[in-house]
Amino acid sequence: MLKSPLSPSSTELVLGILDLVLNGGSPLDRAYSRHFSGLKLASEEQARIATVTGDLLRRLNLYCYLADVEPGRIEREGSRLINAWHLFHGLPTPKLQYSLAVDESGFNERLSHAKTQSALWDGCPDWLDKLGERELGDAWAAERAALKAAPKRYLRTNLLKCDRDALASRLAGEGVSTEPVAGVDSALEVTSDSALFRTQSFADGWFEQQDAGSQKVAAALDVKPGMRVIDACAGAGGKTLHLAAMMAGKGRLLAMDVEQWKLDNLKERARRAAAHNVETRLIAGSKTIKRLKLSADRVLLDVPCSGLGVLKRNPDAKWRDTEERLPVLMELQAHILGSYSRMVKVGGMLVYATCSIMPCENRGQVDAFLAANPNFRLLDDENITPANSGFDGFYLARLERIAE
C-alpha cells in the first residue's frame, strides 16, 4: 500500500477513472487506458494510481460507507471518498484545493460497525454475497475474503524463446525481481514494483503477463508438437500463446473468436512470441464450427463467464450488471459447449474452462452437458480458488470424446 498521500493531480486521475467505470460503464482496463493515454507519468506514479483505484473498487461499498458517500455521487463528492481512504490507511489526506472533509467521529463509529459486518468489510455487494453463499456454502466466507486482496503479478515464460531460469536471470539484470511458482512450471511471481512492459525481455517476447492459475488451464490440455489444436474462444490470446509454446511451434493451432479485433491483436502478440503455428479464424456463424467437425486432437473452450474468480484483478465487475447477465452467460456457455464440442475427434480431448468459482457456471454446466452427450466422458476437473491457491479463480474440466 502507499507510504505517502496521493498528489492532487493523481487524486484527480483516480476520481476520473472511478467515474468512468461506475457512471460511464467503462471496463477498468479501458478507463486506465483512456486516462493514462498521452500523459507522461512515471511508472511509479502510475502504479500508485492503480493501487488506490484497485483497492477502492475491491471494497467500494466499505469505503463509500466510511466516507458517507453514495457511489453515484463520486463525481461531486469523490474528494471525501479519497480522504476516507487515506484516513483508513493511516495516511495524511491529499492537499487538494477543494476538498470535502471527513467527520472523524462519524468515521470511527462507522469503522467500528463495519468490522462487525463481514460482507461489508470484504467489499462484497449483497447480490454477490447471496450468490456465493448459495453456490459455495461454508467455503464462501474464505473466498470472499481472498477476493478483496490485491492481485499478485505473475509471468508466463515463453518456452519458444527461453526457459524459466534464463528468464529470471535476464529480468534480474533489468531490475525485476522474481520467484518461481510451485506447481506451475512456466510461472514466475514478480516480487518488485518494476515496469515490466518497458523491459527488453518483454520487447523480445520472452514472457507474457498471465496469472499462474490461468497458466494451469492451457497446461491441462496436454498438447504435443504436431497435434491439431483449436482454441475456440481465444479472446486476447494468452492461452493460445501458451499452447503454441507447449507445442514447440509444431502442428496446427487454430485460434478462433467472434470478434475480429481480438484476433488481429493476437496476430501481433504471436509475432512477438515467435508462435508461428498460430492461425486465426473468425467465427462468422455455425457453419464455421460445422466445417471443423471431428477434426481436432484438442479443443479449449475458455467460455465467456461472470469473471467472479478474477475480482481481485477486475473488481469493477462487482459494481456493474453481472447479476442480471449471469443467466444470459450461462445460456451462452451451454450453447458453446454443446456446439463447439463437435470439433473434437474420437479419442480427442476437450477442456471446458471459466474464470469463475461458481459451480453453476462450472461443474453444473459440465454435468448437464454429459447427461445430454454420452459420447463424452469426464476425465477430471479442478477448481482453482483464490482462498486455496492465492491465484485468481478458475475452473477446468477435461472431457474425452469416446464415440461420434
Side-chain angles (χ1 to χ4, degrees):
M1 205 52 67
L2 271 59
K3 296 180 180 179
S4 60
L6 287 176
S7 67
S9 59
S10 292
T11 298
E12 291 301 321
L13 281 170
V14 169
L15 292 175
I17 293 166
L18 288 176
D19 184 58
L20 191 57
V21 168
L22 298 172
N23 300 318
S26 173
L28 181 57
D29 57 348
R30 294 184 190 175
Y32 281 140
S33 178
R34 178 172 170 179
H35 280 271
F36 290 156
S37 179
L39 294 179
K40 295 182 179 179
L41 279 175
S43 59
E44 295 82 2
E45 192 60 22
Q46 189 167 311
R48 281 162 55 87
I49 291 167
T51 294
V52 177
T53 304
D55 190 57
L56 280 166
L57 285 171
R58 277 188 289 275
R59 294 204 276 178
L60 181 68
N61 54 346
L62 171 65
Y63 293 125
C64 283
Y65 174 71
L66 296 177
D68 196 21
V69 170
E70 292 294 328
R73 295 185 62 84
I74 284 177
E75 185 178 12
R76 294 184 179 183
E77 301 177 0
S79 62
R80 184 184 292 135
L81 177 65
I82 294 291
N83 288 337
W85 184 90
H86 281 74
L87 189 60
F88 180 87
H89 290 284
L91 294 167
T93 56
K95 296 180 179 180
L96 305 176
Q97 185 174 4
Y98 301 104
S99 181
L100 296 173
V102 177
D103 173 17
E104 291 199 28
S105 174
F107 175 92
N108 289 327
E109 288 182 10
R110 288 190 290 273
L111 181 61
S112 296
H113 175 71
K115 289 179 178 179
T116 69
Q117 307 297 311
S118 56
L120 177 62
W121 189 253
D122 290 339
C124 185
D126 289 342
W127 72 266
L128 178 55
D129 199 40
K130 291 175 183 176
L131 175 65
E133 288 183 350
R134 184 171 72 243
E135 289 285 311
L136 295 173
D138 292 342
W140 169 238
E143 299 299 339
R144 184 185 64 206
L147 287 170
K148 76 171 184 290
K152 296 179 180 180
R153 292 199 294 175
Y154 296 100
L155 306 180
R156 179 183 55 78
T157 308
N158 180 9
L159 298 177
L160 292 170
K161 294 200 170 187
C162 62
D163 60 30
R164 185 167 69 172
D165 290 343
L167 174 61
S169 177
R170 185 178 183 187
L171 286 172
E174 296 183 275
V176 181
S177 300
T178 61
E179 292 180 355
V181 179
V184 188
D185 293 341
S186 54
L188 287 171
E189 180 186 345
V190 180
T191 56
S192 60
D193 293 329
S194 312
L196 293 173
F197 301 120
R198 297 181 186 180
T199 62
Q200 192 60 43
S201 297
F202 176 74
D204 291 343
W206 278 39
F207 71 84
E208 293 283 343
Q209 186 164 281
Q210 185 178 5
D211 184 78
S214 176
Q215 295 180 45
K216 297 185 74 172
V217 173
L221 242 69
D222 190 30
V223 298
K224 299 290 190 293
M227 281 186 170
R228 182 181 175 93
V229 180
I230 298 175
D231 183 355
C233 306
K239 295 180 182 68
T240 304
L241 298 180
H242 191 181
L243 291 169
M246 293 170 62
M247 296 170 71
K250 299 174 183 177
R252 187 179 182 191
L253 176 52
L254 183 59
M256 307 174 71
D257 203 89
V258 295
E259 297 186 88
Q260 184 63 48
W261 69 271
K262 292 182 179 179
L263 297 176
D264 292 340
N265 289 344
L266 172 53
K267 289 178 186 178
E268 291 297 320
R269 295 178 69 188
R271 276 193 282 270
R272 187 180 70 246
H276 302 307
N277 64 328
V278 174
E279 173 190 342
T280 62
R281 185 175 302 178
L282 180 69
I283 301 175
S286 59
K287 288 184 179 179
T288 306
I289 305 301
K290 289 179 181 178
R291 293 189 187 105
L292 295 167
K293 183 178 179 181
L294 299 172
S295 67
D297 298 296
R298 301 285 190 269
V299 171
L300 173 59
L301 297 182
D302 184 17
V303 298
C305 71
S306 64
L308 295 177
V310 295
L311 291 177
K312 290 191 293 186
R313 205 167 303 279
N314 301 311
D316 47 315
K318 289 193 284 189
W319 316 111
R320 288 209 296 262
D321 58 350
T322 306
E323 182 180 15
E324 291 75 19
R325 288 176 59 238
L326 184 55
V328 178
L329 286 167
M330 290 176 60
E331 185 176 349
L332 178 59
Q333 291 161 3
H335 167 74
I336 290 174
L337 184 51
S339 176
Y340 292 19
S341 59
R342 290 179 288 178
M343 296 186 289
V344 184
K345 70 182 185 183
V346 177
M349 186 168 65
L350 161 74
V351 167
Y352 171 85
T354 75
C355 54
S356 174
I357 56 174
M358 299 302 170
C360 61
E361 298 182 83
N362 298 336
R363 186 57 183 264
Q365 293 282 30
V366 170
D367 286 345
F369 170 78
L370 291 172
N373 294 271
N375 49 341
F376 279 84
R377 70 182 180 100
L378 177 66
L379 297 175
D380 51 42
D381 67 346
E382 182 177 2
N383 292 288
I384 304 163
T385 79
N388 292 334
S389 69
F391 308 150
D392 285 341
F394 296 89
Y395 172 81
L396 63 92
R398 303 198 309 164
L399 308 173
E400 181 187 15
R401 179 185 280 278
I402 55 177
E404 288 193 24

